[in-house]
Amino acid sequence: MEWYTVGLGLLGLLMIFIVIGLPIPFALAAASLPFLWNIQGFSTSVVSSELKLWGVWIDYILLAVPLFVFLGELIGKSQIGPNLYQFLHQGVRIRGSAAYGSIGASAGFGAVCGSSMVGALTIGGVALPEMLRLGYGKRLSSGVLAAGGTLSVLIPPSLILLFYGIVADQSIGDLFIAGVIPGLILVSSFVVIVLIWGILKPRDIPNQEEAQKMPMLMILSTVGPVVLIGLVITVAIYAGIATPTEAAAVAALLTVVLAFGVGGLTWQGFVASIFATMRTMGYLGLLLSAGVLFGFVLTYYRVPQQFTELFLSYDLSAYTVLAIVLVFYVILGMFLEPVSMTFITLPTIYPLMDAAGFDLIWFGVVYTITMEIAVLTPPVGLNLYVIQAISREQVTIGDVIMGCLPFIGAMILLIVILILAPQTALWLPEQMR
């Protein structure tokens, strides 16, 4: 069977199964099975599928995923995340402090949790009602929180960078450290956007905000855990003390202690965190397992290699190839969420980017920023619906979309900066080596 027949067949079956409403993990597996049967026969392929699925669930590197998810859920169910927003809002007595506090809290939460949706839920659940009560514009309030949730995707630890490293076989530590400087640039860009927004639309930001000063003890119990958890993850990975999986395990255990000790976590909240992690990992585990089957079929028929050779035969410049790939992901992001896109498309795309001469660590950062844009673009922009849902119908989905546009512009500008100056992402990993 020719590689292009397999590639088009897989894509066609996948689209059919998704359109008829089959969940993406099952759609991936169902699209892969006919070609797997062609390779091995029915009985053998059933056994090999079971082995591949089991291999995913016991993979040592992938153990970091549920640990980081659990860590984020613990912070979300305790008072650590909400108090972080209150501290940054009440501790910064300037016009627009609630908006700046939302950005800072989202960045701080991103430093200990790698999930965009959990970040948007945790910070947005506290900040959005408060900002609306204070008189902030609906578009500014919803836009800054939906976009702020994406900071969890870029600032390490990041689940998307983790998945990228697994699929593209790149160093997780290098990918995490490569996201630090671009993440700080993006945070700064968001602050500038709020500042300009206040100048252009002064009615969207109140002149005075009613906020009580936080007691020093509450400040310490808020900032201390976030700093400590972030340091444990950062130092353990980048100093070579522990692998990402080991760092995630230690950080998760530390978070349990801190969430109960100073975060006000209840037993019901702890149980809810476990169940939320199980629900998330039930989906991600199936997606990872189905992605392995999908990737095996692609690799067996050499679809990525043949696709790369075909693409390069057109003699396009490297930056033309990059532009095509980025536009492809922006369009695809309107219909699929980032994790699914990673396992469906990345096995074919990353060899192409490698052959085009791009550093795969650098491309991992660019890819992750593109995934940030994906969670803010309708009709399947997860963060849009999260923020709209927690507003309790005070904000329309149109308000959230319009509010996100300036922040999407900042992400596009960051991609341009990374293209013009690749060392923005590569300098820090090189220094760490």
Side-chain angles (χ1 to χ4, degrees), residues 63-74:
L63 281 174
V65 178
L67 290 168
F68 281 129
V69 171
F70 181 51
L71 189 155
E73 292 290 348
L74 285 170

Side-chain angles (χ1 to χ4, degrees), residues 168-181:
D169 194 24
Q170 298 297 304
S171 165
I172 307 296
D174 284 352
L175 285 166
F176 280 0
I177 196 69
V180 171
I181 294 177

Side-chain angles (χ1 to χ4, degrees), residues 132-404:
L132 294 175
R133 183 187 69 80
L134 292 170
Y136 281 80
K138 292 181 179 180
R139 291 183 176 180
L140 173 60
S141 303
S142 56
V144 76
L145 289 167
T150 66
L151 295 173
S152 296
V153 177
L154 184 58
I155 297 175
S158 161
L159 292 184
I160 296 299
L161 282 173
L162 181 62
F163 291 141
Y164 175 91
I166 292 166
V167 174
D169 194 24
Q170 298 297 304
S171 165
I172 307 296
D174 284 352
L175 285 166
F176 280 0
I177 196 69
V180 171
I181 294 177
L184 294 175
I185 292 173
L186 196 58
V187 171
S188 304
S189 301
F190 285 5
V191 170
V192 171
I193 287 170
V194 173
L195 182 63
I196 295 173
W197 195 313
I199 295 171
L200 297 178
K201 294 185 177 181
R203 291 184 179 180
D204 282 354
I205 299 180
N207 289 320
Q208 292 184 343
E209 300 178 15
E210 298 176 2
Q212 297 179 351
K213 190 174 181 181
M214 288 182 74
M216 182 57 68
L217 186 61
M218 185 175 289
I219 292 175
L220 291 175
S221 66
T222 297
V223 179
V226 175
V227 172
L228 187 58
I229 295 165
L231 279 175
V232 166
I233 296 171
T234 304
V235 173
I237 294 175
Y238 304 141
I241 299 172
T243 65
T245 301
E246 292 164 347
V250 173
L253 180 60
L254 177 62
T255 305
V256 171
V257 174
L258 292 173
F260 273 114
V262 298
L265 182 68
T266 63
W267 178 252
Q268 290 79 7
F270 179 72
V271 173
S273 300
I274 293 175
F275 277 99
T277 303
M278 290 171 66
R279 283 192 296 270
T280 301
M281 287 312 302
Y283 176 81
L284 288 179
L286 289 172
L287 184 60
L288 288 165
S289 302
V292 167
L293 291 180
F294 195 81
F296 173 76
V297 173
L298 285 174
T299 305
Y300 181 86
Y301 286 101
R302 303 190 76 250
V303 175
Q305 295 87 339
Q306 295 293 334
F307 176 76
T308 299
E309 290 177 13
L310 175 66
F311 211 96
L312 295 179
S313 68
Y314 290 104
D315 230 2
L316 300 173
S317 71
Y319 290 102
T320 302
V321 174
L322 178 63
I324 293 171
V325 168
L326 294 181
V327 171
F328 163 75
Y329 273 124
V330 169
I331 295 172
L332 191 63
M334 296 178 181
F335 306 98
L336 288 177
E337 45 83 26
V339 179
S340 299
M341 279 194 286
T342 300
F343 288 98
I344 293 171
T345 64
L346 200 57
T348 302
I349 296 297
Y350 89 81
L352 174 62
M353 303 312 297
D354 190 28
F358 292 106
D359 186 287
L360 290 181
I361 297 294
W362 172 87
F363 179 67
V365 177
V366 173
Y367 174 83
T368 302
I369 299 167
T370 309
M371 294 302 102
E372 289 182 307
I373 297 173
V375 298
L376 297 177
T377 51
V380 190
L382 295 178
N383 283 22
L384 303 178
Y385 297 103
V386 166
I387 297 299
Q388 196 269 334
I390 61 180
S391 74
R392 294 178 180 146
E393 300 184 356
Q394 295 183 68
V395 177
T396 66
I397 193 66
D399 288 331
V400 188
I401 293 170
M402 294 302 295
C404 285

Side-chain angles (χ1 to χ4, degrees), residues 121-137:
L121 275 169
T122 301
I123 305 301
V126 178
L128 185 58
E130 177 73 2
M131 292 180 73
L132 294 175
R133 183 187 69 80
L134 292 170
Y136 281 80

